[in-house]
Amino acid sequence: TMPSKNYASTRFSAMGEITPANVAGLKSAFTFSLGVNKGQEAAPIVANNTMYVVTAFPNIVYALDLTRPGAPMKWMYQPKPAPAAQGVACCDVVNRGGTYDAGKYIFNTLDGETIALDAATGKQVWKTHLGNINLGETMTMAPLVAEGRVYVGDSGGEMGVRGWVAALDEGSGKLVW
């Protein structure tokens, strides 16, 4: 339910179902086009038999039903970030993913917003604007959630942007610090 698996960002799976003896028999279970022809850096998140994935700009979120053959789409959310953010992104217009916690899928948009969606319905729970593209700030990171706080920061240090980290209240999206 977290990008990079855990707080240590180990990304390692301890599953033993796939072995050198059976790996040759693996087959594709389904495919799904994200409809965005840009760099895809966001790892999918799986929670409660649903796979969530956010695209590069324009940061579309898809929820796929893993209980049904072909994993059909349950819902799609289109945040419509400011197109001008593409011109100030330092390292392409990628998104490095979202996170799942307390029934919400939480992600950032390239133009500096952090958004929480109801994971079951895709309806927006809250949206908080943090970044300023006029200063060159974008947001490509995957949020980190811990103890009721959503931790996010800006991108663009390579372009001289001053870095910052913010904590939001997970329930309301209000800035804590």
Side-chain angles (χ1 to χ4, degrees):
T1 58
M2 295 175 66
S4 303
K5 185 185 175 190
N6 53 31
Y7 291 116
S9 295
T10 61
R11 301 177 189 213
F12 175 75
S13 173
M15 293 184 342
E17 292 88 352
I18 300 171
T19 67
N22 67 16
V23 71
L26 291 178
K27 294 186 172 88
S28 177
F30 67 91
T31 62
F32 182 83
S33 174
L34 298 174
V36 175
N37 192 20
K38 297 179 177 141
Q40 182 62 31
E41 294 187 12
I45 297 291
V46 176
N48 301 322
N49 293 312
T50 301
M51 178 182 286
Y52 303 92
V53 65
V54 59
T55 71
F57 185 90
N59 308 126
I60 301 166
V61 178
Y62 295 100
L64 307 177
D65 186 349
L66 298 180
T67 66
R68 298 180 49 206
M73 184 171 48
K74 293 172 80 171
W75 54 258
M76 173 179 68
Y77 177 82
Q78 296 180 328
K80 298 182 176 57
Q86 297 174 92
V88 297
C90 70
C91 309
D92 200 6
V93 295
V94 300
N95 186 297
R96 294 186 175 93
T99 193
Y100 174 93
D101 192 68
K104 292 183 280 302
Y105 180 79
I106 305 168
F107 69 105
N108 294 314
T109 60
L110 188 65
D111 65 347
E113 294 187 324
T114 300
I115 301 173
L117 304 176
D118 180 297
T121 66
K123 301 292 183 212
Q124 182 179 299
V125 176
W126 53 259
K127 174 169 58 171
T128 303
H129 189 84
L130 296 162
N132 183 346
I133 60 172
N134 294 319
L135 297 176
E137 296 173 338
T138 57
M139 291 175 70
T140 61
M141 69 166 291
L144 182 66
V145 177
E147 298 181 5
R149 301 284 187 254
V150 179
Y151 299 95
V152 295
D154 68 339
S155 305
E158 305 87 294
M159 308 295 271
V161 173
R162 183 179 176 95
W164 52 261
V165 175
L168 305 174
D169 177 78
E170 184 180 6
S172 67
K174 293 191 183 323
L175 185 65
V176 176
W177 53 260

